[in-house]
Amino acid sequence: MLILKPNCECCDRDLPPESPDARICTFECTFCADCVEIRLGGACPNCGGDFAVRPIRPAALLAKYPASTERVVGGHKACAA
């Protein structure tokens, strides 16, 4: 089951579970669409992999399997600005 991290690891933008702007890599590193396209050039700064749109968990299941509340900010070179 996906963790559904609550924020972009680059700009710290909120990415709620229903956000269509959340992107994840194969290791569930989580970034917003803007950072993936503009700052990261489509490659994960942690693993070098590509990104996919993060699936949206149905509300009924979100109540039973909540999203993570732990915020992660990576301090990546491309994100400094």
Side-chain angles (χ1 to χ4, degrees), residues 3 14 19 21-22 26 28 34 45 50-51 53-55 72 79:
I3 297 169
D14 289 340
S19 176
D21 295 325
T26 190
E28 291 188 61
D34 289 340
D50 61 352
F51 291 97
V53 174
R54 182 178 72 189
V72 176
C79 301

Side-chain angles (χ1 to χ4, degrees), residues 39-69:
R39 295 179 177 192
L40 303 175
C44 178
N46 298 317
C47 70
D50 61 352
F51 291 97
V53 174
R54 182 178 72 189
I56 294 174
R57 186 169 298 157
L61 292 175
L62 192 58
K64 185 174 181 179
Y65 303 103
S68 173
T69 58

